[in-house]
Amino acid sequence: MLWVKAFHIIFMVTWFAGLFYLPRLFVYHAMTGDAPGRERFKVMERKLYYGIMAPGAVLTIASGLGLWLGYGITGGWMHAKLALVVVLIAYHLWCGALIKAFRLDRNTRSHVWYRWFNEFPTVILIVAVILTVVKPF
């Protein structure tokens, strides 16, 4: 089980790296005015989402399910953490929808909005780590 836990953490770090970086790409993409720059960001966003974030998310969830089967869901902290995972999956899918809007040149949000959007996974990570380590309830 310790191997599963180690890989769960590795996959989670991979997923979060993408969740932190993709919205930052959105900030710069929203600020870009030239066509070659926009096309470059489209490629970067697609590769990050499908090449790093999606596999990281799937492997994080799969290894988390493996841990759940091995240890079971115990305590309110785990239920709260699972709720955060559901919220994080929704955020991940929202990022996918934003990629599509950029790909179709239909982005309507400003770089300032994306700067705020970029902070959300940080809050989720802080709460999830505290729930996992401290197990407050």
Side-chain angles (χ1 to χ4, degrees):
M1 266 306 152
L2 291 178
W3 281 102
V4 175
K5 189 182 289 187
F7 280 106
H8 179 68
I9 294 168
I10 291 165
F11 299 143
M12 184 270 309
V13 169
T14 302
W15 187 18
F16 266 95
L19 289 170
F20 291 148
Y21 189 50
L22 183 62
R24 179 55 49 184
L25 287 177
F26 292 158
V27 169
Y28 300 135
H29 193 161
M31 293 171 60
T32 301
D34 62 296
R38 285 192 303 271
E39 293 305 314
R40 186 178 324 109
F41 279 113
K42 289 176 187 180
V43 170
M44 293 170 66
E45 292 158 359
R46 179 181 47 80
K47 287 183 176 185
L48 178 61
Y49 189 80
Y50 292 105
I52 295 173
M53 287 174 62
V58 168
L59 293 170
T60 298
I61 294 164
S63 58
L65 288 172
L67 290 170
W68 170 63
L69 292 173
Y71 293 117
I73 295 177
T74 56
W77 70 272
M78 179 59 85
H79 292 85
K81 182 180 166 190
L82 290 175
L84 289 177
V85 171
V86 169
V87 170
L88 203 58
I89 292 168
Y91 181 86
H92 178 102
L93 295 173
W94 191 4
C95 284
L98 293 170
I99 287 174
K100 183 177 181 181
F102 274 114
R103 181 174 45 86
L104 299 173
D105 295 319
R106 293 186 182 156
N107 174 53
T108 59
R109 294 183 167 90
S110 72
H111 67 93
V112 175
W113 187 89
Y114 286 111
R115 287 179 195 278
W116 284 104
F117 183 76
N118 189 41
E119 301 305 321
F120 185 75
T122 305
V123 174
I124 297 294
L125 179 64
I126 291 168
V127 175
V129 168
I130 290 171
L131 286 170
T132 303
V133 174
V134 178
K135 297 177 179 55
F137 47 88

